[in-house]
Amino acid sequence: MGSDEYACPSCGQPVGTVVRRHKTLGAFVPVWGPAPCRNPRCTAYVPGGGAAAERPGPPEAPAAKAP
C-alpha cells in the first residue's frame, strides 16, 4: 500500500484514510482522502474520537408550536 498511504502535510506523520461520498450524475460514489492529523504536537492536530465524530449529524428540526 505504499503509495496509497497519506501523511500529514505539517508534521509528516502517517494519517488514516477517510471515505466520503460525492454525488455524480445522480449516484453517490466513494471518495477516499486523508484523515485529520492525530498528533497532539502538530499544528494541524484535530482533537476527537473517531470518524463518527467528524461527520455532521442530520439538521435539527424546529420545535412544533402548540396552539
Side-chain angles (χ1 to χ4, degrees):
M1 275 175 84
S3 63
D4 294 334
E5 295 178 5
Y6 293 101
C8 175
S10 297
C11 65
Q13 181 177 2
V15 294
T17 303
V18 176
V19 180
R20 294 184 174 91
R21 41 183 217 160
H22 174 76
K23 194 168 189 177
T24 302
L25 298 173
F28 285 103
V29 295
V31 177
W32 287 266
C37 185
R38 299 294 183 201
N39 180 3
R41 291 174 275 161
C42 179
T43 58
Y45 171 67
V46 177
E54 298 167 8
R55 288 185 294 185
E60 296 293 324
K65 293 182 181 180

